[in-house]
């Protein structure tokens, strides 16, 4: 049976394709290449260029491949962008996911893994790491657009023969330990990506957004998880559903957080030199602190993270930035 990866040319999707191939899976990718790259998709995967809301294309993919599972990454992911363009986010993340889910139901695809987010929790009401049973109160259209998809999946799973796993990602960073993939979009706004690009001189400077949060050093605290460990959690989710496990929503993080300033210090340490930083106003939509309790994923998926090390995450991200610089200078 084949696994259909949506957004397989994107950052996390491209790692997932490699992880599936490494695990001996047959892989099919759909990506419209709006932010992803054709070259980022492993050549062993069968590639269809197009939109997840193109029901005709989905029918063709399902008729040409024996797909039993969909792993759905395609979507927009930048919190402040979603604040500025909420309807764009509801269209791209919610409306198009609805169409993809409808295509899955029509074709009788039994398993669906959804790329959800810690942003569904908003600012947690507790200081401890968040568990899945906390109230879901997204603070950005991005978080809401993902939560709506989780709700659609839950209701669809109750009405049809579809089992889903929603994985709520915390802050994904780093690159493939074998150097085959990484975060490649020059437009990416995520902290570790931006800090590595600045350290390497690809950017003149960077901002620290907000220094007056109610956190130990005043900057936001996040749970940074290695993209490779995250891909492994998806493999475990597939195995569990194929073995008859039911639907599940589970956090994917390590259970401890770092502030923005701690991350920047770690980048300086791993890179071995300082770089310019500007202290700026808070960014819209940012919760002060959010850290995962990964207990459910460990227990239900049997997921054991192996790369829980901030400096190791940063080292792999720096390696990938250097790779991109060489690739670009080679034309
Ligand atoms: N930050 C900076 N400067 C930058 C970039 C980010 O100070 O140049 C700060 C942000 O303000 C925030 C922290 O670094 O406090 C992390 O920001 P990111 O943009 O890296 O990530 P977010 O926390 O906004 O969002 C990410 C994912 C979401 C996920 C969320 C969960 O994009 O999908 O983590 O915490 F929901």
């Amino acid at each position: 049976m084949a696994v259909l990866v949506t957004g397989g040319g994107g950052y996390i999707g491209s790692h997932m394709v490699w992880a599936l191939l490494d695990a001996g899976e047959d892989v099919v990718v759909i990506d419209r290449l709006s932010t992803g790259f054709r070259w980022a998709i492993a050549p062993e995967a069968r590639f269809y260029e197009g939109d997840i809301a193109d029901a005709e294309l989905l029918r063709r993919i399902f008729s040409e491949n024996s797909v039993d599972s969909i792993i759905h990454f395609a979507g927009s992911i930048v919190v402040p962008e979603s604040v500025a363009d909420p309807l764009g986010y509801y269209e791209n993340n919610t409306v198009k996911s609805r169409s993809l889910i409808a295509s899955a139901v029509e074709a009788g695809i039994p398993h669906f893994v959804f790329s959800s987010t810690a942003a569904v929790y908003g600012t947690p009401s507790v200081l401890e790491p968040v568990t899945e049973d906390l109230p879901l109160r997204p603070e950005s259209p991005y978080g809401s657009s993902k939560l709506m998809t989780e709700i659609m999946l839950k209701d669809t799973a109750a009405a049809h023969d579809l089992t889903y796993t929603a994985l709520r990602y915390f802050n994904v960073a780093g690159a493939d330990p074998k150097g085959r993939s990484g975060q490649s979009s020059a437009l990416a706004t995520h902290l570790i990506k931006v800090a590595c690009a600045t350290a390497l001189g690809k950017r003149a400077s960077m901002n620290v957004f907000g220094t007056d949060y109610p956190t130990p050093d005043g900057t936001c605290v996040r749970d940074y998880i290695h993209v490779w460990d995250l891909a492994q959690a998806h493999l475990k989710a597939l195995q569990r559903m194929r073995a008859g496990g039911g639907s599940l929503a589970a956090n994917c993080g390590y259970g401890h957080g770092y502030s923005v300033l701690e991350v920047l210090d770690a980048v300086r340490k791993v890179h071995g030199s300082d770089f310019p930083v500007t202290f700026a106003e808070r960014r819209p939509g940012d919760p002060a602190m959010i850290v995962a309790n990964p207990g459910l994923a460990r227990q239900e998926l049997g997921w054991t993270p192996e790369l829980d090390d901030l400096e190791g995450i940063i080292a792999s991200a720096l390696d990938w930035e250097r790779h991109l610089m060489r690739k670009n200078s080679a034309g």
Side-chain angles (χ1 to χ4, degrees):
M1 298 305 280
V3 180
L4 174 64
V5 177
T6 77
Y11 170 43
I12 305 173
S14 62
H15 287 84
M16 188 73 241
V17 170
W18 281 115
L20 286 161
L21 291 168
D22 288 350
E25 297 280 351
D26 190 21
V27 185
V28 181
V29 169
I30 180 172
D31 196 310
R32 65 177 178 163
L33 303 179
S34 61
T35 54
F37 302 99
R38 178 67 185 93
W39 57 260
I41 303 167
E44 293 84 352
R46 281 189 298 291
F47 175 60
Y48 293 81
E49 182 171 349
D51 198 294
I52 57 165
D54 180 346
E56 269 313 309
L57 176 59
L58 267 293
R59 274 185 208 114
R60 182 155 79 85
I61 292 173
F62 295 140
S63 74
E64 291 176 359
N65 303 277
S66 303
V67 174
D68 79 331
S69 310
I70 298 174
I71 309 186
H72 175 31
F73 295 99
S76 305
I77 56 160
V78 181
V79 172
E81 186 179 70
S82 78
V83 176
D85 180 22
L87 295 177
Y89 269 65
Y90 291 125
E91 169 69 21
N92 213 25
N93 289 355
T94 313
V95 174
K96 290 191 178 192
S97 290
R98 186 216 160 271
S99 180
L100 176 68
I101 296 165
S103 294
V105 168
E106 181 190 282
I109 309 295
H111 310 307
F112 197 106
V113 184
F114 174 55
S115 157
S116 190
T117 170
V120 298
Y121 296 109
T123 298
S125 51
V126 291
L127 281 177
E128 295 90 63
V130 298
T131 48
E132 291 78 358
D133 54 358
L134 284 182
L136 302 175
R137 288 191 284 237
E139 281 170 23
S140 63
Y142 166 68
S144 299
S145 71
K146 290 283 187 171
L147 177 55
M148 288 183 199
T149 304
E150 281 201 26
I151 294 168
M152 286 192 289
L153 282 167
K154 182 165 171 253
D155 293 342
T156 305
H160 299 280
D161 286 332
L162 178 130
T163 304
Y164 76 96
T165 307
L167 296 177
R168 295 178 182 159
Y169 308 164
F170 283 64
N171 286 58
V172 188
D176 175 32
K178 293 187 179 155
R180 298 169 296 184
S181 196
Q183 194 166 17
S184 302
S185 171
L187 304 174
T189 57
H190 293 108
L191 179 64
I192 290 181
K193 167 86 182 171
V194 168
C196 289
T198 312
L200 290 169
K202 288 172 87 174
R203 298 171 54 114
S205 81
M206 62 170 290
N207 290 315
V208 171
F209 294 120
T211 52
D212 58 350
Y213 284 99
T215 57
D217 68 15
T219 64
C220 291
V221 172
R222 297 285 184 275
D223 186 338
Y224 293 90
I225 167 177
H226 198 298
V227 64
W228 192 249
D229 274 336
L230 183 70
Q232 301 307 309
H234 293 69
L235 285 180
K236 296 282 189 186
L238 272 189
Q239 282 165 11
R240 177 180 172 277
M241 288 191 292
R242 284 171 170 168
S247 293
L248 179 74
N251 293 335
C252 282
Y254 289 146
H256 51 82
Y258 295 95
S259 72
V260 173
L261 296 183
E262 285 172 329
V263 170
L264 297 184
D265 278 345
V267 175
R268 286 186 190 101
K269 184 171 167 208
V270 176
H271 181 248
S273 71
D274 204 356
F275 52 88
V277 165
T278 304
F279 293 98
E281 291 299 303
R282 289 183 179 199
R283 203 177 64 169
D286 276 343
M289 171 171 164
I290 180 149
V291 171
N293 178 327
L296 191 66
R298 284 174 174 271
Q299 184 193 318
E300 283 290 328
L301 302 180
W303 176 59
T304 309
E306 291 176 11
L307 300 172
D308 175 1
D309 169 37
L310 182 63
E311 290 181 13
I313 292 174
I314 289 168
S316 72
L318 278 167
D319 279 347
W320 185 254
E321 283 306 314
R322 291 189 192 98
H323 168 81
L324 289 177
M325 287 164 87
R326 286 193 298 274
K327 184 175 159 64
N328 291 339
S329 67

